[in-house]
Amino acid sequence: MAIQIPRGTQDILPGTVEKWQYIEAKAKEICELYNYKEIRTPIFESTELFLRGVGDTTDVVQKEMYTFEDRGGRSLTLRPEGTASVARSYVNNKMFGSPTQPTKLYYIGQMFRYERPQAGRFRQFVQFGIEALGSNDPSIDAEVIALAVELYKSLGLNNLKVVINSLGDKESRQAHRDALINHFQPRINEFCGDCQGRLEKNPLRILDCKKDRDHELMATAPSILDYLNEESKVYFDKVVAYLSALGIQYEIDPNLVRGLDYYYHTAFEIMSTSEGFGAITTLCGGGRYNGLVQEIGGPETPGIGFALSIERLISAMEAENVKFPFEDSIDCYVVALGDKAKETAVKLLFDLRKAGIVAEKDYQDKKMKAQFKAADRLQAKYTIVFGDDELEKGVVSIKEMETGEQQEVAFEDAVAFITAKKSGER
């Protein structure tokens, strides 16, 4: 019996991987425009990093992490998200000492969460994310949101909705926390076990519960916006003013709660409004985390970022019928007949590739007709055909596959001929 792929994972095959490469290239291009630099962190980290950084009351830590003990007895975890790892690297490598602040970073990498696989959601998935550490300026909150919106638009997505909220500073959150406890406590026994456990530890997480989302107390829960102090109100007003100045439409949702514990002030999500995209419409989520770096042993450092799933991004592009701009074709196929011609084809193929020509040949000793069929399957634009007799004469026949036009060219000029044809197509 064949060994099967683990549940919640996928093989990304040729024909599909080109979509990933295109998206990754576009993400890097946008990051360069915004002056974000790439960072690569380990796939596994100390479990303590996520306990302290993500929060031990979150679903991610309580239910979804892949945690194991290594041979030295150390508890390690496959990273479930990227922000904590970037913050850890920021501290370890003393990036806070750089004279250029804020430190603006981006990453593209595999993440791991043990959850129920469904459309667009996997146990091993790839996130693209950015982090800006070292600035309390509300304009960088707007910049982070703008970068995400511009990335989606550059990839052809139009049916987008930006939803934003403020979680306030520590003082505002404490006042809201007390109000939530007073609101839910009399009837907390009607909620799921998770929510009952969250009441005292982190009542804000109750608002993010999927099981109890339709409970009547959810609709009447105290709004964080009613508990923002003056400083938090001013900060939030500036963020949305910057978004308006950038022409980014948004909706304010006081019930928007990010799933991780380190968020303060700005929280946001970008959703797809395309029909047929699915029940889970969120494409991207992020926000400000002003206590994270300090929590994991660094100096007090403000930060903001977002992360998006590339799998869900591809699904959104498919829902909007976005065409990926790449060709599944090659420039040239070499058809060689006869023993000496086949030997010579190896060197010709090498020379074509050195000249920047995407070229291929037969490796299965096929007849001429089968070789031409192979060239058709590969959508070759040109074929170079020669046998032992042509080799003695020092010529090859070059055929343009689309028009059927064929001409004889000196063997030594074949590479230059194809190069010139390719240059003329640009």
Side-chain angles (χ1 to χ4, degrees):
M1 182 177 176
I3 297 174
Q4 299 299 310
I5 189 171
R7 187 167 185 248
T9 64
Q10 62 175 333
D11 295 316
I12 303 170
L13 305 178
T16 299
V17 75
E18 290 83 359
K19 297 180 180 179
W20 290 69
Q21 293 166 344
Y22 172 68
I23 289 170
E24 290 165 5
K26 184 64 71 173
K28 292 176 181 179
E29 179 184 311
I30 295 287
C31 284
E32 286 181 7
L33 293 174
Y34 282 72
N35 197 34
Y36 284 75
K37 309 298 184 183
E38 184 178 9
I39 184 172
R40 302 185 185 189
T41 61
I43 286 179
F44 59 88
E45 299 267 11
S46 167
T47 302
E48 185 182 7
L49 172 65
F50 302 113
L51 293 177
R52 291 168 61 182
V54 176
D56 58 7
T57 64
T58 62
D59 284 350
V60 171
V61 169
Q62 290 186 344
K63 302 176 182 180
E64 298 173 1
M65 294 202 315
Y66 281 91
T67 298
F68 61 96
E69 193 173 280
D70 70 3
R71 295 185 181 184
R74 293 170 287 262
S75 180
L76 301 172
T77 296
L78 298 179
R79 61 188 181 195
E81 57 94 48
T83 301
S85 291
V86 170
R88 190 268 313 145
S89 181
Y90 178 83
V91 174
N92 287 172
N93 294 287
K94 296 182 172 58
M95 295 186 208
F96 47 81
S98 170
T100 303
Q101 296 294 338
T103 301
K104 298 164 73 172
L105 305 166
Y106 77 89
Y107 59 86
I108 301 175
Q110 294 165 327
M111 309 294 164
F112 305 85
R113 294 188 189 181
Y114 188 88
E115 55 185 343
R116 185 172 63 86
Q118 51 188 297
R121 179 170 287 179
F122 298 86
R123 290 177 174 174
Q124 176 182 307
F125 55 98
V126 178
Q127 274 189 349
F128 162 72
I130 69 168
E131 314 292 348
L133 299 114
S135 173
N136 264 322
D137 189 333
S139 69
I140 205 164
D141 298 37
E143 175 182 287
V144 165
I145 296 171
L147 191 155
V149 171
E150 285 304 301
L151 174 59
Y152 286 129
K153 287 185 175 179
S154 72
L155 290 168
L157 294 185
N158 296 307
N159 301 325
L160 301 171
K161 180 171 72 172
V162 177
V163 179
I164 190 169
N165 189 24
S166 173
L167 302 179
D169 58 12
K170 286 186 178 181
E171 179 185 299
S172 302
R173 286 191 65 163
Q174 184 61 49
H176 185 229
R177 179 184 184 279
D178 294 341
L180 287 173
I181 291 174
N182 292 333
H183 178 75
F184 287 114
Q185 194 167 44
R187 297 174 63 182
I188 193 63
N189 62 315
E190 299 174 14
F191 287 75
C192 68
D194 288 338
C195 286
Q196 292 179 33
R198 291 165 178 157
L199 180 66
E200 295 295 334
K201 291 182 179 179
N202 190 355
L204 189 66
R205 299 287 302 118
I206 296 176
L207 299 178
D208 202 32
C209 180
K210 295 176 177 62
K211 292 181 181 177
D212 295 318
R213 67 175 67 183
D214 295 325
H215 194 286
E216 62 179 331
L217 287 186
M218 289 293 204
T220 58
S223 168
I224 180 63
L225 298 180
D226 294 332
Y227 292 85
L228 296 181
N229 57 23
E230 189 61 27
E231 182 180 345
S232 296
K233 288 179 182 177
V234 169
Y235 193 96
F236 189 52
D237 288 344
K238 287 183 178 179
V239 172
V240 296
Y242 282 126
L243 291 177
S244 296
L246 297 176
I248 297 174
Q249 295 183 332
Y250 59 86
E251 292 182 13
I252 296 175
D253 181 359
N255 293 319
L256 173 62
V257 179
R258 297 298 305 144
L260 309 178
D261 279 359
Y262 47 56
Y263 286 105
Y264 285 92
H265 285 301
T266 308
F268 69 92
E269 291 183 353
I270 299 177
M271 303 175 180
S272 170
T273 58
S274 295
E275 290 186 16
F277 178 58
I280 303 173
T281 60
T282 302
L283 293 173
C284 164
R288 179 165 281 282
Y289 46 88
N290 286 1
L292 174 61
V293 174
Q294 189 175 8
E295 180 64 33
I296 61 176
E300 187 171 347
T301 305
I304 184 169
F306 72 77
L308 63 86
S309 159
I310 292 185
E311 290 88 345
R312 293 192 61 71
L313 172 50
I314 291 174
S315 295
M317 293 174 72
E318 291 172 347
E320 291 198 33
N321 297 313
V322 174
K323 303 299 181 185
F324 288 84
F326 54 81
E327 292 183 6
D328 188 15
S329 63
I330 65 172
D331 297 319
C332 182
Y333 193 94
V334 177
V335 177
L337 305 168
D339 292 339
K340 192 163 185 179
K342 289 175 183 176
E343 291 176 8
T344 306
V346 173
K347 177 63 166 58
L348 176 58
L349 195 68
F350 181 73
D351 290 341
L352 285 164
R353 290 166 174 168
K354 281 183 67 177
I357 305 298
V358 182
E360 191 56 278
K361 76 173 190 68
D362 169 56
Y363 294 96
Q364 296 180 311
D365 202 26
K366 292 178 179 176
K367 303 295 185 184
M368 184 172 68
K369 186 176 180 180
Q371 289 188 53
F372 272 106
K373 284 185 178 179
D376 282 335
R377 282 195 296 272
L378 292 171
Q379 299 182 52
K381 293 171 183 164
Y382 299 91
T383 54
I384 298 178
V385 186
F386 63 97
D388 291 346
D389 291 342
E390 287 78 13
L391 203 55
E392 284 188 17
K393 297 176 185 176
V395 297
V396 297
S397 178
I398 298 181
K399 181 179 181 180
E400 186 172 348
M401 298 296 280
E402 185 176 354
T403 64
E405 182 182 339
Q406 191 165 321
Q407 63 187 101
E408 196 172 84
V409 175
F411 186 90
E412 61 185 19
D413 295 333
V415 174
F417 182 90
I418 297 293
T419 301
K421 285 287 189 181
K422 184 176 180 179
S423 298
E425 293 168 0
R426 290 174 183 158

